[in-house]
């Protein structure tokens, strides 16, 4: 098989396998479905979060092996912890590293966990999280400065912070510019319009479905750009998702329970003073970390507290996983337990206030962390898988594959551009190819 000279990977964040239902009636998605091969159900990683999943997509590894076990870093006491923005957190080779080692030109637009990565044209997803940081400066220092300045200069006016659809409109124009002016062999693009609208309005809200329609338009513009410069025939197009989303009505604050049980102590100002056990949220699931993870007495004590909480009534918790169970699902091997929320519930890290909070719809977008739908749950929850479709010279036309795992995507994407990704948790999806 001769490899594809160009590979364009478009990640449409939070698009679900259930969305094929809409995609098949939209012109550009329909075109790519009819002329390529799609996978009906792609199982994501645990936790089903953007950063762990995107890193699995480009490494072929499970979170416990690539190191991005949550969107955020574990920073007890911080209500808005820093995110895993930097490439340095990824513990294994990535698709863009291998591509560059093989002499290919690479580009990435808002692909998670690429700040500081060795990518020729890179606009990393990173934003200021401290009052003294400046958005333009943190991006410039962690990406490709001339390229970012050019994109901001040409298209920056389209953007209104990270609000949608403006951000994705900016990313679309930046993508078209990059295709036409830079012709990268590997282009990775992350669009978040559907994800943002599902969080704000709900899984199946009109706003979320409208965002799928906008993605169809964006796909059409990208197909057209490759035709305009004569590289369409030499390009393989991949559209994929990272996870689905589920509607919700109630927040669970496990750290409030830990505080009530004396495992978390606060100072006189209500700030975190010390902790023996701390819950780190992954939205639909979360990790329990112990300050001394080898203290068997503490492990038993925390397990009893959690089991009693679950037994006491409607806890909103579907499962308590021990460390070995979490590891077997690919999650962080440093945790002592994981909690999986029932559909309709999700976790925050707050340690003050009450354990349960009903979500007030009128405060969505006003009160931080209030959302109508989220992810992070077990990838095995029903109707919760994501999408993958490829179209190109070496891809079967009109093919349908029943299922795959998201860790299979890394070695498969590598194969498309003629690279071998070795020693991965996933395997090449051979049925995709002619
Ligand atoms: Zn996501």
């Amino acid at each position: 098989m001769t490899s594809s000279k160009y590979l364009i990977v478009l990640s449409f964040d939070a698009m679900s396998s259930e969305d094929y239902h809409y995609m098949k009636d939209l012109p550009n998605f329909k075109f790519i479905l009819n002329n390529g091969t799609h996978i009906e159900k792609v199982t994501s990683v645990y936790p089903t979060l953007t950063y762990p999943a995107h890193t699995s997509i480009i490494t072929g590894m499970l979170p416990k092996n690539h190191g991005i076990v949550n969107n955020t870093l574990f920073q007890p006491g911080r209500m808005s912890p820093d995110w895993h923005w930097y490439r340095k957190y990824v513990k294994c080779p990535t698709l863009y590293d291998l591509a560059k080692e093989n002499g290919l030109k690479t580009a990435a637009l808002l692909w998670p966990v690429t700040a500081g990565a060795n990518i020729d044209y890179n606009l990393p997803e990173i934003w200021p999280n401290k009052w003294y940081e400046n958005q333009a400066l943190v991006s410039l220092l962690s990406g490709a400065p001339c390229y970012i300045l050019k994109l901001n200069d040409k298209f920056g006016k389209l953007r209104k912070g990270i609000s949608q659809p403006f951000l994705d409109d900016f990313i679309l124009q930046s993508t078209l510019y990059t295709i036409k002016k830079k012709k990268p062999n590997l282009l990775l693009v992350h669009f978040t319009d559907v994800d943002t609208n599902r969080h704000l309005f709900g899984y199946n809200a009109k706003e979320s479905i409208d965002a799928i329609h906008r993605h169809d338009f964006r796909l059409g513009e990208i197909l057209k750009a490759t035709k305009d410069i004569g590289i369409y025939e030499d390009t393989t197009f991949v559209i994929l998702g990272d996870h689905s989303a589920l509607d919700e009505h109630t927040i669970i604050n496990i750290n409030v329970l830990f505080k009530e049980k004396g495992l978390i102590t606060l100072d006189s100002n209500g700030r975190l003073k010390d902790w023996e056990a701390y819950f780190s949220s992954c939205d639909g699931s979360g990790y329990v970390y112990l300050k001394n993870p080898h203290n068997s007495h503490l492990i038993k004590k925390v397990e009893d507290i959690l089991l009693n909480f679950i037994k006491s009534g409607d806890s909103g918790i579907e499962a308590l996983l021990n460390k070995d169970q979490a590891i077997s699902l690919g999650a962080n091997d440093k945790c002592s337990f994981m909690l999986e929320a029932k559909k309709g519930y999700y976790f925050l890290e707050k340690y003050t206030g009450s354990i349960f909070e009903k979500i007030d719809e009128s405060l969505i977008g006003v009160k931080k962390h209030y959302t109508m739908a989220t992810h992070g749950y077990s990838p095995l929850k029903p109707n919760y898988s994501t999408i993958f479709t490829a179209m190109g010279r070496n891809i079967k036309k009109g093919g349908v594959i029943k299922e795959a795992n998201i860790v299979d995507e890394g070695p498969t994407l590598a194969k498309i551009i003629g690279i071998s990704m070795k020693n991965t948790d996933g395997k090449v999806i051979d049925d995709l190819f002619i």
Side-chain angles (χ1 to χ4, degrees), residues 10 12 27-29 172 176 214-227:
L10 307 176
F12 293 124
N28 299 300
F29 280 132
L172 172 64
L176 301 177
R214 287 193 290 271
H215 279 343
D216 182 73
F217 169 79
R218 291 171 183 132
L219 171 62
E221 292 295 292
I222 290 165
L223 292 170
K224 186 170 167 296
T226 62
K227 286 178 183 163

Side-chain angles (χ1 to χ4, degrees), residues 7-33:
L7 171 60
I8 297 178
V9 180
L10 307 176
S11 165
F12 293 124
D13 200 300
M15 278 190 67
S16 162
S17 310
E18 310 285 303
D19 293 327
Y20 282 126
H21 167 72
Y22 299 108
M23 291 162 69
K24 66 180 175 42
D25 292 328
L26 295 169
N28 299 300
F29 280 132
K30 183 179 173 180
F31 178 80
I32 210 165
L33 287 168

Side-chain angles (χ1 to χ4, degrees), residues 292-349:
N292 183 353
H294 307 295
N295 180 339
S296 54
H297 173 72
L298 181 61
I299 295 170
K300 179 79 174 72
K301 181 179 171 183
V302 172
E303 184 175 30
D304 286 346
I305 287 169
L306 291 170
L307 285 174
N308 283 331
F309 175 65
I310 293 168
K311 271 189 240 156
S312 66
D314 188 10
S315 66
I317 292 173
E318 188 169 289
L320 167 67
L321 284 69
N322 65 27
K323 182 189 180 87
D324 289 340
Q325 290 168 321
I327 294 171
S328 71
L329 288 170
N332 192 3
D333 56 8
K334 306 287 187 298
C335 77
S336 295
F337 299 98
M338 279 190 87
L339 292 175
E340 168 73 13
K342 285 181 187 167
K343 187 173 183 294
Y345 293 81
Y346 73 107
F347 298 105
L348 290 181
E349 290 186 24

Side-chain angles (χ1 to χ4, degrees), residues 98-291:
L98 295 172
K100 207 156 160 56
E101 279 169 24
N102 282 269
L104 301 179
K105 200 194 287 182
T106 55
L109 289 151
L110 297 194
W111 195 270
V113 205
T114 60
N118 186 13
I119 295 171
D120 295 311
Y121 302 100
N122 189 20
L123 176 69
E125 182 168 271
I126 178 167
W127 56 88
N129 205 25
K130 301 181 185 78
W131 62 269
Y132 52 84
E133 287 176 342
N134 171 290
Q135 161 86 65
L137 198 62
V138 286
S139 284
L140 282 175
L141 291 173
S142 314
C146 296
Y147 174 65
I148 294 172
L149 286 172
K150 189 80 178 171
L151 297 182
N152 274 326
D153 182 43
K154 288 183 82 71
F155 314 115
K157 61 182 180 300
L158 295 172
R159 214 176 146 165
K160 295 180 183 173
I162 55 167
S163 63
Q164 294 289 8
F166 313 105
L167 178 61
D168 277 7
D169 291 343
F170 165 76
I171 290 302
L172 172 64
Q173 292 308 321
S174 300
T175 301
L176 301 177
Y177 170 85
T178 304
I179 291 169
K180 289 180 175 176
K181 300 292 181 191
K182 308 297 182 190
K183 282 195 194 173
N185 302 101
L186 172 66
L187 172 59
L188 304 168
V189 191
H190 177 214
F191 290 104
T192 54
D193 200 353
V194 169
D195 183 64
T196 299
N197 279 291
R198 286 195 155 144
H199 280 304
L200 289 175
F201 300 103
Y203 175 78
N204 244 338
K206 181 183 180 299
E207 290 84 351
S208 306
I209 308 311
D210 287 349
I212 296 176
H213 286 244
R214 287 193 290 271
H215 279 343
D216 182 73
F217 169 79
R218 291 171 183 132
L219 171 62
E221 292 295 292
I222 290 165
L223 292 170
K224 186 170 167 296
T226 62
K227 286 178 183 163
D228 289 348
I229 58 161
I231 64 165
Y232 175 80
E233 295 295 334
D234 294 321
T235 303
T236 298
F237 301 87
V238 168
I239 55 173
L240 53 81
D242 54 347
H243 50 68
S244 180
L246 296 171
D247 287 330
E248 62 210 2
H249 48 71
T250 305
I251 295 164
I252 312 169
N253 293 305
I254 292 296
N255 285 332
V256 173
L257 173 70
F258 285 168
K259 189 196 66 176
E260 287 173 0
K261 300 293 180 187
L263 294 165
I264 284 178
T265 47
L266 306 183
D267 67 15
S268 55
N269 294 314
R271 284 192 293 256
L272 185 71
K273 186 176 165 196
D274 201 3
W275 58 278
E276 282 188 278
Y278 196 87
F279 182 79
S280 172
S281 170
C282 307
D283 295 343
S285 66
Y287 296 109
V288 176
Y289 293 113
L290 303 184
K291 193 160 245 180

